[in-house]
């Protein structure tokens, strides 16, 4: 048996060890009755004789023993009856961050807000835009960017105790679950065009934008007015946080860009790649409100999430690709504005208050006002009571003064 355990993989060894110990215990138990039947009989007889002598010597003790045995037996029976009921309903455990979730509410984990853009991540903005466009109930989790999915990514969602990661997979699964396919009305050819264009946006144009961010991390903070202290929920001064951000963000971004392949090109070549992508998108959109007509589709969602990263960059920061889109592709600017108005009517509130859940109605402050009113009324009552008390004291003092003056007058008259 020991040889078998040694040959089993490490993760399976505990189960084999338990099986071996169980077999050995069974063998020992099987040998005991055959070896000692006589001894067991003699011991039982001796115990019976002792019990008889004890009963004769102390009837009261025997009665107490019987009562205790009956009591113990009752408690054991009650415990045995309660045990199955306790084990019938084990608590269900969920391997998610939001354990007190509400059923069918989508909990979205993404980056913090900025004063110019709801999210600096095109992928996060893509998911939130899609959720708003199809009208699903969701709630942003204010995790201060501390959590990542099991794949190590943002965004990810949690739904009914289950995690779903990657923006494309999130939209695919939610679309199937709730029957919210934005591309249902497209032809086969249009779907193919949409798929290819989304691949260009997410695997090419986004990385061109990321190249600029990795090369100029200081412009990222200034261009989007990022407050790292608020975004990360830390108390360290922004000067220190900004310093470390510039070092780590630039270093990690450069490694990712080289791994992707875009990072091996010169800055001029990469800028030209970006302009070509914008030109293609502009020609595809032409003068239509959305890429395939009057209603937005998946391509419109992705295009908005990516192009808004360029359009809403502060004008104080110089970025040739942003300037090219503004000057040469005005129809793309119009597309971004239409998607913003359609999906983010609370854009200004989001960016002003940095509110992750501006779309969720806030409770009316009636309770607070009522409480304040009650406290004010109580205060007024107290003030009134205090006023009555003061008036009584004054009247008492006047009465005492009057009595004192009358007494003095009587004394003077007596003299």
């Amino acid at each position: 048996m020991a040889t078998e355990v040694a040959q089993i993989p490490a993760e399976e060894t505990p189960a084999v060890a338990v099986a071996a110990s169980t077999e050995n215990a069974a063998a020992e138990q099987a040998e005991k009755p055959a070896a000692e039947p006589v001894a067991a009989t003699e011991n039982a007889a001796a115990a019976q004789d002792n019990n008889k002598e004890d009963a004769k010597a102390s009837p009261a003790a025997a009665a107490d023993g019987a009562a205790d045995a009956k009591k113990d037996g009752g408690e054991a029976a009650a415990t045995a009856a309660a045990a199955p009921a306790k084990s019938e309903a084990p608590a269900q455990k969920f391997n998610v961050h939001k354990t007190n979730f509400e059923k069918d509410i989508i909990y979205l984990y993404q980056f913090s807000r900025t004063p110019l853009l709801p999210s600096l991540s095109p992928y996060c903005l893509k998911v939130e835009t899609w959720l708003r466009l199809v009208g699903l109930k969701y709630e942003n989790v204010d995790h201060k960017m501390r959590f990542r999915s099991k794949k190590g990514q943002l965004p990810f969602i949690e739904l009914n105790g289950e995690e779903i990661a990657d923006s494309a997979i999130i939209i695919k699964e939610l679309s199937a679950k709730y029957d919210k396919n934005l591309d249902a009305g497209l032809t086969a050819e249009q779907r193919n065009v949409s798929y290819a264009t989304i691949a260009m946006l997410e695997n090419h144009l986004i990385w061109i934008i990321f190249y600029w961010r990795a090369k100029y991390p200081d412009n990222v903070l200034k261009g989007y007015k990022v407050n790292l202290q608020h975004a990360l929920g830390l108390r360290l001064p922004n000067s220190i946080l900004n310093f470390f951000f510039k070092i780590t963000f630039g270093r990690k971004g450069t490694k990712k860009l080289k791994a992707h392949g875009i990072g091996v090109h010169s800055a001029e070549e990469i800028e030209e790649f970006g302009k070509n992508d914008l030109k293609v998108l502009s020609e595809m959109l032409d003068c239509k409100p959305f890429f395939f007509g009057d209603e937005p589709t998946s391509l419109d969602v992705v295009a908005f999430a990516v192009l808004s990263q360029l359009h809403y960059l502060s004008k104080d920061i110089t970025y040739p690709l942003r300037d090219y889109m503004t000057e040469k592709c005005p129809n793309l600017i119009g597309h971004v504005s239409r998607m913003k108005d359609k999906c983010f009517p609370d854009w200004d509130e989001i960016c002003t208050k940095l509110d992750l859940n501006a779309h969720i109605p806030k409770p009316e402050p009636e309770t607070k006002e009522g409480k304040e009113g009650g406290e004010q009324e109580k205060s007024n009552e107290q003030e009134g009571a205090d006023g009555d008390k003061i008036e009584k004291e004054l009247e008492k003092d006047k009465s005492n003064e009057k009595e004192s003056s009358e007494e003095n007058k009587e004394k003077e008259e007596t003299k």
Side-chain angles (χ1 to χ4, degrees), residues 16 41 112 121-122 127 142 157 197 206-207 221 257 271 275 286 355 379 384 388 395 412 415:
V16 177
T41 305
S112 301
S121 165
V127 172
D142 189 9
I157 66 166
T197 310
I206 280 181
W207 285 93
L221 297 174
L257 289 163
E271 182 181 323
K275 290 178 179 179
D286 197 16
D355 189 353
S379 175
D388 293 342
E395 290 177 0
E412 289 176 0
K415 290 179 180 180

Side-chain angles (χ1 to χ4, degrees), residues 154-413:
L154 282 176
F156 69 93
I157 66 166
E158 290 177 352
L159 176 61
N160 297 331
E162 179 187 358
E163 178 187 295
I164 307 174
D166 190 277
S167 62
I169 297 174
I170 291 170
I171 291 176
K172 179 184 176 183
E173 295 203 12
L174 292 181
S175 178
K177 179 178 177 63
Y178 294 104
D179 192 20
K180 298 290 185 178
N181 186 4
L182 291 177
D183 301 334
L186 299 182
T187 64
E189 183 180 357
Q190 288 174 328
R191 289 195 189 96
N192 292 337
V193 171
S194 175
Y195 183 89
T197 310
I198 288 174
M200 179 193 76
L201 284 163
E202 295 192 330
N203 297 307
H204 198 252
L205 184 55
I206 280 181
W207 285 93
I208 292 169
I209 297 173
F210 287 170
Y211 167 82
W212 178 83
R213 290 182 177 182
K215 189 174 182 180
Y216 305 104
D218 189 45
N219 285 346
V220 174
L221 297 174
K222 293 177 182 178
Y224 297 104
K225 303 186 185 304
V226 179
N227 184 334
L228 289 176
Q229 197 176 51
H230 171 268
L232 301 174
L234 299 175
R235 295 183 179 180
L236 288 172
N238 270 321
S239 57
I240 297 176
L241 295 173
N242 291 351
F243 175 76
F244 284 105
F245 173 83
K246 293 171 192 176
I247 295 174
T248 57
F249 186 79
R251 186 183 302 160
K252 290 181 179 179
T254 301
K255 288 181 180 179
K256 290 180 180 179
L257 289 163
K258 286 183 178 179
H260 175 271
I262 196 76
V264 302
H265 300 287
S266 66
E268 292 76 14
E269 290 171 335
I270 294 173
E271 182 181 323
E272 190 64 25
F273 291 155
K275 290 178 179 179
N276 291 337
D277 288 351
L278 291 175
K279 183 181 178 183
V280 168
L281 286 172
S282 180
E283 290 177 354
M284 283 183 60
L285 180 62
D286 197 16
C287 58
K288 301 187 296 293
F290 301 105
F291 281 98
F292 294 108
D294 296 331
E295 294 298 327
T297 61
S298 298
L299 176 56
D300 295 285
V301 171
V302 177
F304 166 74
V306 177
L307 297 177
S308 60
Q309 307 294 320
L310 294 173
H311 179 58
Y312 291 104
L313 180 71
S314 173
K315 300 298 186 289
D316 298 333
I317 301 300
T318 302
Y319 187 18
L321 197 60
R322 186 270 319 277
D323 298 337
Y324 176 85
M325 183 175 76
T326 303
E327 296 170 7
K328 304 294 184 181
C329 310
N331 60 340
L332 296 182
I333 303 297
H335 178 271
V336 169
S337 298
R338 282 189 291 277
M339 287 294 293
K340 170 193 166 186
D341 294 341
K342 191 174 187 68
C343 301
F344 289 90
D346 53 351
W347 184 283
D348 293 337
E349 184 181 358
I350 288 173
C351 296
T352 302
K353 299 180 180 179
L354 304 181
D355 189 353
L356 278 167
N357 292 303
H359 62 289
I360 299 177
K362 302 295 186 293
E364 296 292 333
E366 293 179 355
T367 306
K368 187 176 180 181
E369 289 177 359
K371 185 178 180 182
E372 289 177 354
E375 289 177 353
Q376 184 66 34
E377 186 177 348
K378 188 177 180 181
S379 175
N380 293 337
E381 290 176 357
Q382 185 64 33
E383 288 176 2
D386 291 341
D388 293 342
K389 188 176 180 181
I390 291 171
E391 287 181 4
K392 288 180 181 179
E393 291 292 336
L394 290 173
E395 290 177 0
K396 188 176 180 181
D397 290 341
K398 288 180 181 178
S399 178
N400 290 338
E401 288 177 2
K402 187 176 180 182
E403 290 177 359
S404 177
S405 63
E406 289 178 354
E407 287 178 0
N408 291 334
K409 189 175 179 181
E410 288 177 358
K411 286 181 181 179
E412 289 176 0
E413 289 177 355

